[in-house]
Amino acid sequence: AKIEERWEKLPRTLIPTRRNRTAAEGAPEALIALLDDATKAYVFGLPAAAIAMCRAVLERVLKEFYLPEEESRKENGKPMMLGELLALAEKRYEHIRRLDLKSYVAKANKVMHRYEGGRVSEDELEAVRQFLEATKTLIEHAPQTPNQIPV
C-alpha cells in the first residue's frame, strides 16, 4: 500500500528531446536512466538511494542543460563541484534560486556522508519527493537541450 501511495505522489517529468544527433548524444538517455533509478528508489522506500540519485540528476542537468560551457572550463584541471555549479547557475537563472536546491543538496550530502540506515520517516520520504519535484521543474525549464549546446 505504501509503494502505491508513493507512486501516486510521484512527479512526472518531461525531458526535452534533441532534434538531431550531436556530440552530446546519449545525454537524455543517461538522464532518463538516472531519473528512473531515483524514481524506483523513492517508490520502493529507499530514501538514501533516491536522494543520492537526485543529487546525481541535479549535477548532470546543471552541466548539460544550464552550464555546458563550464565542463570545458575547469578550474585547476578539476571539474567544478556541485556546490560551485549550483552557485553559478543560481546567479544566472532566477528560477533556480526559487527552487532552493541548496537545501536539497545539503540533505543529500548529509545522507551520503552520515547515513546510519534504519527506518525511514515519512518526512524523509517527503523530502525525497520534493527533491524529485524540484528536479522535474529544473529539467522542464532548462534553457537549452544538449543539441543546442554551442560547439
Side-chain angles (χ1 to χ4, degrees):
K2 290 289 186 181
I3 290 172
E4 189 172 321
E5 181 181 318
R6 285 189 292 273
W7 178 255
E8 292 300 319
K9 289 181 181 178
L10 193 64
R12 305 302 189 247
T13 305
L14 299 174
I15 298 176
T17 58
R18 298 182 319 268
R19 290 183 198 91
N20 48 38
R21 303 235 183 252
T22 67
E25 185 175 330
E29 292 80 8
L31 180 59
I32 290 168
L34 283 174
L35 278 169
D36 189 47
D37 286 350
T39 299
K40 288 175 185 172
Y42 167 76
V43 168
F44 290 106
L46 304 168
I51 205 160
M53 295 310 299
C54 285
R55 187 183 183 283
V57 168
L58 172 62
E59 185 169 359
R60 187 160 194 138
V61 169
L62 289 176
K63 286 179 179 179
E64 294 177 8
F65 290 78
Y66 287 85
L67 304 167
E69 72 281 0
E70 296 307 317
E71 264 307 281
S72 61
R73 187 176 37 170
K74 297 176 180 176
E75 200 171 297
N76 300 325
K78 296 180 181 178
M80 291 179 77
M81 301 298 291
L82 178 56
E84 297 168 315
L85 287 167
L86 186 53
L88 184 57
E90 285 181 338
K91 285 180 186 176
R92 291 185 186 173
Y93 302 97
E94 170 71 25
H95 71 279
I96 293 179
R97 278 193 299 276
R98 290 190 308 262
L99 290 173
D100 191 29
L101 294 168
K102 286 181 182 177
S103 69
Y104 297 114
V105 170
K107 288 176 188 178
N109 289 342
K110 183 179 176 184
V111 166
M112 292 171 66
H113 299 291
R114 297 185 206 128
Y115 184 65
E116 296 178 11
R119 297 196 57 91
V120 177
S121 73
E122 289 301 316
D123 288 342
E124 288 172 313
L125 284 171
E126 179 58 18
V128 173
R129 192 202 61 75
Q130 290 174 2
F131 198 172
L132 283 166
E133 186 71 43
T135 303
K136 168 191 177 283
T137 302
L138 188 68
I139 292 168
E140 291 177 350
H141 291 92
Q144 57 190 5
T145 58
N147 70 318
Q148 297 170 322
I149 295 171
V151 179

